[in-house]
Amino acid sequence: MKITQLWYYPIKGLRGIQVESAKLGPQGLQYDRRFMLYKIEKSGDFSKIQLSGHPECSLFAQEVVGDKIRVKYLIPEEPLVQWKPEQDTVLEVPIEPEINELTKADVSLHQSRVIAYRMGPKYDAWFTACFGFDTALVFIGDGRRPVLGTFSPKAQATPPPWPMLLLNHLLGKKATEDDWITFTDCAPYLFTTEESLNNVKARLSTCDVEMKAMRPNIVLDGETAWDEDFWAQLTINGAHQVALTKMCGRCTSLNVDYSTGRAAKGERGTVLKKLMSDRRVDAGSKYSPVFGRYGFLTSNSGGDTTISIGDSVEVTKRSAERTVWDWALGDPKIAKYYQSSSDTKSSIPIVLSFWLTAAALLGLLPCWLLLA
């Protein structure tokens, strides 16, 4: 197979940027979704701004020029909000802000929490003028969102036996860091195929649907529609391995008309419904039709990780059955922050002491080890 399209979204929720080449990294394509917009409620709480709930996000075009993200608001023929001067200007956002000059913000996306950074009044005022409600632009900075459920390939791996954990600790080997994400929804990458999109297009008789509506990162030509449901690992250019761990359940963002900032009229506004008939194939998310696969880069990201349109991609592992969604997006009880191995290492001696004592009492270890 070949790569046919590459997309990234510096500010989550806005129009994507299509490119010829991009760099792979553990957290996705370079510069992907490191910024996000939040609505500031009257209570002061932040609520996420995404296409599904705010189709007007489609009216914001973004591009990266040098070290800046340039954002332009595209006023539709039928305006959504009262005109303000900011709507006729281009906002420039530094792609690498100095976080020591920014105010911290505790935000959540799909119950995955992070301490991020507010970009400040200048940026908030511009987006507020375009959206028509109080808005905050947030930068991930050095924050890390945890990957919930078993979306991470590390969460799906069998943990080593406790003797190995003990040996690694005694030898001073560091624990492997858990995977983490920026403001991508549930994984660093989303893969889709042209063949599956063709299947969707065939369901429409009076209109078309473009790949941009699917908001992918890496698009492949594919061989047959929906074959990607069973892909477990891809290898790009024979060098870069990506573990595909879950299917992507879809929402009303598929129905958005990017020219009006509203739900599309007519048949174009029924794309999600048309997929409902036979694409609700994920037992863990039975009300959401599936299109695409979430992925994590598992190979070493050192050296040249640039990929381009036309590069070769091979399916190097397959699953016999479809994976099952297990990220409880709407359950606040699972909300948590990312913890690095350094955050948890202080508890290791306590845990090891418990296991060593238990093992000695059971005669599995000589008691003198406890005195060592």
Side-chain angles (χ1 to χ4, degrees), residues 248-268:
C248 180
R250 293 304 182 150
C251 62
T252 54
S253 65
L254 299 189
N255 298 336
V256 172
D257 183 337
Y258 278 53
S259 65
T260 66
R262 298 172 169 88
K265 296 180 179 179
E267 190 180 33
R268 179 59 185 82

Side-chain angles (χ1 to χ4, degrees), residues 199-260:
N199 181 285
V200 179
K201 289 182 176 184
R203 302 168 190 234
L204 304 170
S205 59
T206 62
C207 60
D208 192 18
V209 58
E210 298 178 85
M211 185 62 81
K212 69 179 181 182
M214 305 301 172
R215 302 185 68 78
N217 292 116
I218 300 176
V219 183
L220 309 178
D221 49 9
E223 296 176 349
T224 58
W226 317 126
D227 185 45
E228 64 270 20
D229 288 2
F230 300 95
W231 295 349
Q233 179 180 275
L234 298 177
T235 300
I236 304 174
N237 290 334
H240 311 297
Q241 283 79 46
V242 180
L244 302 182
T245 60
K246 301 290 179 180
M247 296 181 288
C248 180
R250 293 304 182 150
C251 62
T252 54
S253 65
L254 299 189
N255 298 336
V256 172
D257 183 337
Y258 278 53
S259 65
T260 66

Side-chain angles (χ1 to χ4, degrees), residues 318-368:
R318 287 181 172 270
S319 298
E321 299 179 349
R322 290 184 174 95
T323 50
V324 178
W325 183 284
D326 60 359
W327 185 314
L329 297 177
D331 184 1
K333 295 179 181 178
I334 70 166
K336 68 176 184 178
Y337 299 91
Y338 179 83
Q339 282 192 313
S340 67
S341 59
S342 59
D343 295 330
T344 57
K345 68 181 182 180
S346 60
S347 64
I348 291 177
I350 299 173
V351 174
L352 287 175
S353 295
F354 169 80
W355 283 109
L356 283 170
T357 302
L361 292 174
L362 292 172
L364 299 177
L365 287 175
C367 292
W368 57 263

